[in-house]
Amino acid sequence: MNHDAYPDNYIRGILNSVKSIAMVGASPVNVRPSYFAFKYLAQRGYDMIPVNPGHVGKELLGKPFVASLSDIDRPIDMIDIFRNSSHIMPVVEEALTLDPLPKVIWMQLGARDDAAAARAESVGIKVVMNRCPKIEYGRLSSEISWMGVNSRTLSSKRAPAPTQGMRLSLNRMSVGGGDTAASDRAAKNKSEQS
Amino acid sequence: MSDRLPGFSTLAVHAGAQPDPTTGARATPIYQTTSFVFNDADHAASLFGLQAFGNIYTRIGNPTNAVLEERVAALEGGTAALAVASGHAAQVVVLQQLLQPGDEFIAARKLYGGSINQFTHAFKSFGWNVVWADPDDIASFERAVTPRTKAIFIESIANPAGSITDIEAISTVARKAGVPLIVDNTLASPYLIRPIDHGADIVVHSLTKFLGGHGNSLGGIIVDAGTFDWSTGGKYPMLSEPRPEYHGIRLQETFGNFAFAIACRVLGLRDLGPALSPFNAFMILTGIETLPLRMQKHCDNAKAVAEFLAGHPAVASVNYAGLASDKYNQLARKYAPKGAGAVFTFSLKGGYDAGVNLVSKLQLFSHLANVGDTRSLVIHPASTTHSQLDDAAKVKSGAGPDVVRLSIGIEDKEDLIADLEQALGA
Ligand SMILES: Cc1ncc(COP(=O)(O)O)c(C=O)c1O
């Protein structure tokens, strides 16, 4: 997988197929990006599991925190890692010991570890880096268009009026890849410099 | 579901718009409302905290305006956009995110006269200090860079003379200085030039001109290219630091490559207040659907008129980058191969008096202070748009006393030429 620019169909396939998502580094502080994403994905119908050893015994929006991935009592489709790039590898190593293996490992906006990605991909796990699943879901459903964001999708179909907690269709026509060409180029230049 | 890139005309009609989910209305409805009902207290809190996508109050966002925003972002190849009340409002909102009092920005000397005024007087009173550079001398931009420089501002095609700016060369200077390049793309429109493809980090427009295109609605827009890293060195605290306005959110961390557009909305538009009327957004959206058709006709007509003027004995010179003999023709071929725009100047052998005389005799051209209308327009910048500048600055910005500016419309070119011929002849 080219991790500089994901085809929309790759992201769409992931968000349409996964059901349970363990969020490593989920924060109960309501101005942290992980809180935003956790809340949004739960509202869109995903089975969300907050993973954070510092908050065991507490709940995040009604879901009990667990200390680590191995403490989760059911199969996990996707692991969403809200940690800096330097903390990715241990999480991926732990994920690789799970049975069954997760189908997807997703690293948040700003997080990228190509070596960890390669390890996960070598056992057939799909990897997304430096993206936010909330933003991608909002983009492919065009819900993010309320904020003037370029969803890079089009549709001439009449969508159902969205209600709270509803799953949205992600199957609009894509008009480009996972980012605009210009921002893809900028991200690539940045990762080459660092 | 294939990932293919539709063409510009398809985006001009479709991007951002879809049938209204509630009624099935196919044209974008005008959501003429100040405010939007919350589902419950939690929904309201999520919206105010920027945690959920949705509408609160039309000063912060409106569904009609959102269609316009996504459409222009798509046409420019940006990640997001924010529509505001005018082109000037777009400029103030952009710079508010980038400059603290005492900071500097570098601006090309060849700009719309109103922008020169805004930068020189209004912005100076905010403590935002403009440093002028010459777009025909790239080294003058390099020389103007200081540790306080926060941005560079240029026009792609510069008002009034229609000169073409070497965007790539100036973007190299901006990148070296570690500051974003802001391009006012009003006179080109994304049909002729997409500045982001040439290294712009932020694009602004007066939608009042070619994008709206019919001379009936003011508007402005800011497009975020998603290319600039705001996190380095604490230089852009509105984007990189925890915002007290939002309980400590860091916008770049939360919104990634469209954080600048969000900052303009939630820190700029929300607090400064220049919201675009949804009715104007609707008018401008309707205009944009025909942008590719209109813009080509504007350019084709402009070239024919410029050629006519260049051959007329009463005309001293014509500044139109679409003419092979023009100083900017090489740059026009590179940046605007479909046409060099439709705003240009020429000067008359008879000087100031001949300019005034010409304007009074024209029957079809309207004498007014605007550009980018379906109708052809004429003005004498030295006595109007550029009148606040001193004589030297007038000449430097291409608006000397003998100069007449035209904005060529989409009428039949033969009629425009006949009108100019009768007005020049007698
Ligand atoms: C190039 C350019 N930029 C900005 C503006 C300002 O736009 P507005 O009048 O919509 O504030 C104008 C208006 O003439 C213009 O020509």
Side-chain angles (χ1 to χ4, degrees), chain A residues 9 39 134 151 172 175 179, chain B residues 1 5 18 46 51 70:
Chain A
N9 271 340
K39 182 173 180 179
K134 173 185 175 183
S151 71
R172 296 158 55 86
V175 306
D179 264 299
Chain B
M1 232 60 45
L5 201 63
Q18 59 193 347
S46 301
Q51 293 162 10
E70 185 171 3

Side-chain angles (χ1 to χ4, degrees), chain B residues 282-302:
Chain B
F282 172 84
M283 296 300 282
I284 293 163
L285 267 174
T286 305
I288 289 175
E289 292 182 7
T290 56
L291 174 70
L293 303 173
R294 285 187 291 106
M295 208 64 207
Q296 194 60 57
K297 176 95 171 173
H298 278 295
C299 290
D300 295 348
N301 279 359

